[in-house]
Every structure is written in structure tokens, then in C-alpha cells.
Amino acid sequence: MSHKALYAGSFDPLTLGHLDIIERASKITDDLVVGVIENPNKTAMFSDDERVRMIKECVSGLSNVTVESFSGLLADYVKGNGFDMVVRGLRNVTDFDSEVQMAQLHGVLYENRAETVFLITDPNYSYISSSMVREVFGLGGKVDKWVPKQVLKYMNEKQKFVVLDENGNNV
Ligand code: COA
């Protein structure tokens, strides 16, 4: 049976932890879509288009991975686009608690059309999050050990042309 999987997130920005999950998920699925949730939060570091563009650059070597953006309910996107698998990364027990609840809720919303599959995050990245990376970057710290080089290029460009607050968000 072939599997079409979704790995959704806000990815503001994509980290090496996310990329590790994408690479591993691409090996166990036939088609993997990285779904970038459209961000109604105007203070995000990157626009929806920028996030899609930079993730495409990062996954260009993975032939079964595509990148799209979506808005609204995750379950509607899953049902409307024929996904039978939703991939989630687990970093720690805190993630586990909230992910169990979300998977159970989605089990109802998916109407048995998709399964949630968990991949354990690489321990090198289990302590990071996009907002922590933005904050370190916004305060002048180095983030190259946590983000792909393509993402770092976008972050450096952003810093040249816009003012970022201490959380790394556009002001
Ligand atoms: N490596 C590094 N960081 C990781 C990671 C990994 N493997 N996995 C998760 N993270 C980080 C993310 O960067 C994110 O950091 P941030 O909060 O600083 O941005 C944090 O962990 C939480 O990740 P996640 O739970 O995937 O949140 P998200 O905001 O990226 O995406 C959606 C959440 C898109 C799945 C969720 O908002 C959604 O489904 N939205 C649609 C609306 C909907 O259906 N709502 C009902 C849901 S019950």
C-alpha cells in the first residue's frame, strides 16, 4: 500500500530538527508533503511564501518531498487532499502529552482516513524550537548548529533589511 503523508508545522524557521524528521519520514512514505501553516501572526520572522521557498531549497535533494502552504483546520486539509498518514516529531515527554491529546482528537476529526505516526526527534535537536532559534539570533547569537545553511542565508538577509525585535520577529 502506498502512503501519502503530511508533516505540518509553522516552520518559522525550519530547523535541522525538522529537516531530520523530513528526511526520515521520506524514507517510510511514498509522497511526503511538508505543509506550512499560513501564519496569521504578522510579527512572524518569515512570510508564508518565504517559509515555503526556503524549505523547498532544503529538501531539493529528496525526490518524494513537496512543500505547500495551507490554512484552516489540519483535519480538513488531510481529508481534502487524500493523506493517509500525518507525521509528528516527538522531542520529549511534554511533547508526548500534548501530541497524544492532539492525535486522539484528530483520530475523530480524520474519520479514520489517516493515522498519526510519531518519529522521535534526533537528541541533538530535542531541546530546540523555532522560537528559541529566533530569539538567540535576534540577540546576536550564532544559530548555525541548529538551522540548515539555506535557512541561515535567509535569516542573515532578513537581518540586513528589516528590524528584528529581541525574539527575532519583524518589528
Ligand atoms: N526539531 C526542532 N523543533 C521542533 C521539532 C523538531 N523535530 N518538532 C517541533 N519543534 C518545535 C517547532 O519549531 C515549534 O516551535 P515554536 O513553537 O517555537 O514555533 C514547536 O516545537 C511546536 O511544534 P508544533 O507542535 O509542530 O507546532 P507548529 O506551530 O509548528 O505546528 C500545527 C502546529 C500546524 C500542527 C497546528 O498548529 C495545526 O494543526 N494547525 C492547524 C489548525 C488546527 O487544525 N488546529 C487544531 C489542532 S488540534
Side-chain angles (χ1 to χ4, degrees):
M1 184 184 171
S2 66
H3 292 294
K4 181 176 178 185
L6 173 68
Y7 179 48
S10 46
F11 306 119
D12 187 40
L14 181 92
T15 66
L16 286 170
H18 295 129
L19 190 57
D20 169 63
I21 298 285
I22 293 169
E23 286 168 350
R24 286 158 56 206
S26 75
K27 293 183 189 148
I28 56 167
T29 60
D30 299 279
D31 287 307
L32 175 69
V33 174
V34 180
V36 178
I37 182 86
E38 287 176 15
N39 201 336
N41 174 7
K42 295 274 167 38
T43 61
M45 185 173 198
F46 292 106
S47 69
D48 306 331
D49 285 349
E50 287 171 324
R51 286 179 284 147
V52 168
R53 215 177 322 134
M54 75 176 110
I55 298 171
K56 278 185 176 167
E57 286 184 29
C58 296
V59 302
S60 62
L62 302 171
S63 59
N64 62 339
V65 179
T66 51
V67 187
E68 294 174 3
S69 63
F70 74 100
S71 58
L73 206 55
L74 182 86
D76 288 341
Y77 186 62
V78 167
K79 287 190 290 182
N81 292 279
F83 292 104
D84 64 350
M85 199 190 272
V86 174
V87 174
R88 301 287 297 158
L90 279 184
R91 292 170 299 171
N92 48 41
V93 288
T94 313
D95 274 1
F96 180 80
D97 280 346
S98 58
E99 291 293 337
V100 166
Q101 193 181 12
M102 197 157 93
Q104 288 168 338
L105 180 131
H106 277 137
V108 177
L109 293 176
Y110 295 158
E111 297 163 345
N112 298 323
R113 287 187 230 180
E115 284 291 344
T116 305
V117 173
F118 296 102
L119 297 181
I120 304 296
T121 297
D122 181 327
N124 289 316
Y125 308 117
S126 59
Y127 59 93
I128 59 166
S129 65
S130 298
S131 48
M132 282 172 59
V133 167
R134 288 200 312 270
E135 185 171 340
V136 171
F137 184 79
L139 292 168
K142 277 170 72 94
V143 297
D144 51 334
K145 60 175 97 48
W146 300 313
V147 296
K149 60 181 186 318
Q150 297 91 332
V151 169
L152 189 60
K153 185 187 75 186
Y154 276 83
M155 293 177 85
N156 286 330
E157 282 296 303
K158 180 76 57 180
Q159 199 176 36
K160 269 194 233 161
F161 297 113
V162 299
V163 180
L164 302 174
D165 68 14
E166 68 279 11
N167 297 316
N169 293 321
N170 292 341
V171 174

